[in-house]
Amino acid sequence: MAAKRKRGALAPGKAKRARSAPTAGEAAPEGGPRDGSIPPQEYSIPPPVSQGKWKNKERVLIFSSRGINFRTRHLMQDLRTLMPHSKADTKMDRKDQLFVINEVCEMKNCNKCIFFEAKKKQDLYMWLSNTPQGPSAKFLVQNVHTLAELKMTGNCLRGSRPLLSFDPIFDREPHYALLKELFIQIFGTPQYHPKSQPFVDHVFTFTVTDERIWFRNYQIIEEDASLVEIGPRFVLNLIKIFQGSFGGPTLYENPHYQSPNMHRRLIRLSVAAKFREKQQVKEVQKIKKKGTKVLVEEDPTEVVFETPAEEKPVEIQLVKPESKPIVKDKKKLRKIQRKKQKKLFRTEG
């Protein structure tokens, strides 16, 4: 029976080799120290890629309310994928107040929040907030396209830090300047983040067109520095900017904003107006048909161009005309006609 050996003990016959320093007679290895010490190159550990310290500890909580559709769920998952400094949470109940989100962010140790709020199962709203002090902004999300769509042909490294590109109008208007700072703090990946990669291969663009903010994500190709869209893409229609987090005094209200309910109501009114116009045209046509026709008096000038026709003498035929024989065959009819002609020639001769 083999004897058990203790943990850490060596097997019999195998002694641990001790690294001995070179003697005075032995020459030191080339390039190494001559005092007999062990060269430090053999035990050196390569430094990490990023030796900096993670100072900007921004954490973004991305979650939604109940009642969102599949497209919103995919958009939320795409943002979590693109932002390595984000965290997830369960869906919030509709009955809960928005102030509860500040407590959820505190429990998740997050100081920024992106909250998707769904209403009527067709309208999507996005909240961007700096918790718990504020400010916060509410947007209406339109024209959502996710990463899974085939027309997005670009690709980037997961966890890489993006460049943020803003329209020049963000520096002119004060409310756009506030939104620019909020976008930088939320969408910008902190430097030396543990889950981020030390590469920059894509860019987030924020463009203002038609009083709306258009978000796009492009890949930067190394060969010619051209851009290829990755996704997702969506349009943010600003509603209000609040001083606090998810509430408080209103700092800015968009005068060009039109609610989805009002937009749908105007569409229904336009369709109803067209229908009423068609009915009125039909009623006018019926009235015209039922109305008495007004007889126009005879115009005396109509007789000017009338010319009397020549009177032909009346001829009375006393003899009954001969009946023509009904022949179905044309050849027989021709033969009969030829015989009649021959008889006429003979009588005349």
Side-chain angles (χ1 to χ4, degrees), residues 135-186:
S136 59
K138 185 179 181 181
F139 300 91
L140 174 67
V141 186
Q142 299 171 330
N143 302 335
V144 177
H145 298 275
T146 59
L147 273 170
E149 296 187 9
L150 296 178
K151 56 184 161 184
M152 311 288 188
T153 57
N155 194 8
C156 65
L157 181 67
R158 179 165 184 167
S160 60
R161 301 181 63 231
L163 294 175
L164 299 182
S165 175
F166 291 93
D167 196 272
I169 198 172
F170 278 94
D171 297 327
R172 300 173 193 165
E173 302 292 336
H175 60 282
Y176 281 131
L178 178 60
L179 292 177
K180 177 181 178 181
E181 184 63 29
L182 195 61
F183 289 148
I184 290 173
Q185 295 182 13
I186 291 178

Side-chain angles (χ1 to χ4, degrees), residues 269-279:
L269 290 176
S270 64
V271 173
K274 290 181 181 178
F275 180 74
R276 282 197 301 270
E277 187 179 355
K278 289 182 180 179
Q279 293 296 327

Side-chain angles (χ1 to χ4, degrees), residues 26 62 163 250 276:
E26 297 178 359
I62 303 177
L163 294 175
T250 303
R276 282 197 301 270

